[in-house]
Amino acid sequence: MWHRERPEGHARSWRTALPTPSTRAESVGAARRAVRVTVAAVVGFYPAVHLLDRPVFALYTLFVPVAFGLLSPLPGAGRRRAGTVLRAVPAAAALITLGTYLAAATWAATLGMLLVGFVLVTGASIGPRVTGVVPALQLCYILACFPPYAPGTLWDRLAGLAVGATLTILCERLLLPEPEQTSYRGRVADGLDLAARSLHDLLRGGADGRETAGRLRAAGRELRFSRTAAGCRPTGAGAKDRALAQAGYATRRFLDLPTCSPPSPLCCARRSTCRRPC
């Protein structure tokens, strides 16, 4: 092959650019989400079209489950996701109303898009829960301000939002809900508890130093944001999220210290065969 004459690092560089395959848990989660969105959209759309003959109402009944359930990365388990959608409904209603009336002129809809986009992006810094609903809220404004200009259909649009949001909340809460995830605070506490038990066992002479060091390093790596679900990362601008982020960083450093300090019982007895600098 063409890469046999190159160093190993260059031969594998093209593989690192490929996307990581989805895990089984991610595939199962995507399937559950697809079922919830499909049921919520179908239950609201077809009765509105065939029984009520209200196409605008049917359009928004179909759009809301797709926007909130599929196009928005809502954090947390089923109950938390349902609560996030419920809290976002007033903001979505305001944006649909604003977009409906600003659709009268292209320049007004454009200025409204700039204002709405700036406010939503700025508000996304509050926390992961707000960040998750930003795409759905922005799509609510875009759909409402899209031509034609029809302010007389505002009540059908708001009714479609209410029905679609209700179906989305019920499906998120009752139909194949997402499993509960350990919070970042709980993961930090579990890491500190593991460190305390490991050091206690080592001082009593009942554990292997290398195995314990490996467990502590693995627990520290699990506290990285790259290995934490998007809804559980303390990335907000508030004091609580900043404190959790600093606690996670300090816990990671603490879990690495016993594997690097010379006086630690985790240090290798044979310094000549230890590959980790002590």
Side-chain angles (χ1 to χ4, degrees):
M1 297 294 291
W2 62 272
H3 61 268
R4 289 183 178 177
E5 297 179 359
R6 298 189 179 187
E8 185 178 359
H10 292 279
R12 296 182 179 179
S13 60
W14 65 274
R15 294 189 181 92
T16 59
L18 296 177
T20 305
S22 300
T23 62
R24 182 180 180 85
E26 292 174 348
S27 300
V28 172
R32 287 198 301 260
R33 186 164 58 251
V35 171
R36 292 193 300 267
V37 172
T38 302
V39 171
V42 168
V43 170
F45 178 76
Y46 283 104
V49 171
H50 297 289
L51 298 180
L52 302 178
D53 194 19
R54 297 169 64 181
V56 176
F57 172 72
L59 174 62
Y60 278 79
T61 304
L62 172 68
F63 169 77
V64 171
V66 175
F68 282 96
L70 189 62
L71 301 180
S72 297
L74 298 181
R79 184 175 182 178
R80 185 181 181 187
R81 293 165 66 93
T84 301
V85 176
L86 180 62
R87 293 183 181 91
V89 168
L95 291 175
I96 289 175
T97 304
L98 179 64
T100 299
Y101 287 104
L102 291 183
T106 304
W107 65 268
T110 304
L111 291 179
M113 185 71 256
L114 293 176
L115 177 62
V116 169
F118 176 78
V119 172
L120 291 178
V121 171
T122 304
S125 62
I126 297 176
R129 179 175 294 186
V130 179
T131 304
V133 298
V134 164
L137 295 177
Q138 192 165 8
L139 289 173
C140 287
Y141 173 81
I142 292 174
L143 180 63
C145 73
F146 197 80
Y149 172 65
T153 62
L154 176 61
W155 293 112
D156 281 347
R157 297 179 180 187
L158 295 179
L161 169 65
V163 174
T166 302
L167 293 174
T168 302
I169 291 171
L170 292 177
C171 289
E172 291 287 350
R173 188 70 179 90
L174 303 176
L175 182 61
L176 302 177
E178 293 292 330
E180 293 287 345
Q181 299 177 354
T182 305
S183 63
Y184 195 78
R185 178 188 301 177
R187 299 174 68 177
V188 170
D190 292 341
L192 294 174
D193 183 66
L194 175 63
R197 287 187 284 103
S198 300
L199 292 177
H200 179 71
D201 293 339
L202 284 170
L203 292 176
R204 295 179 57 185
D208 184 23
R210 290 191 177 185
E211 294 182 0
T212 303
R215 288 197 301 268
L216 293 179
R217 286 195 297 268
R221 287 193 298 267
E222 291 300 322
L223 291 177
R224 296 176 180 175
F225 285 176
S226 60
R227 300 198 178 190
T228 306
C232 299
R233 300 172 186 170
T235 55
K240 180 180 178 180
D241 285 347
R242 293 201 306 269
L244 281 176
Q246 293 175 4
Y249 176 75
T251 303
R252 285 174 49 197
R253 294 294 303 271
F254 175 73
L255 293 175
D256 287 338
L257 282 177
T259 65
C260 300
S261 302
S264 172
L266 302 185
C267 271
C268 186
R270 299 179 180 178
R271 297 289 180 86
S272 60
T273 61
C274 186
R275 296 182 179 180
R276 188 177 182 86
C278 292

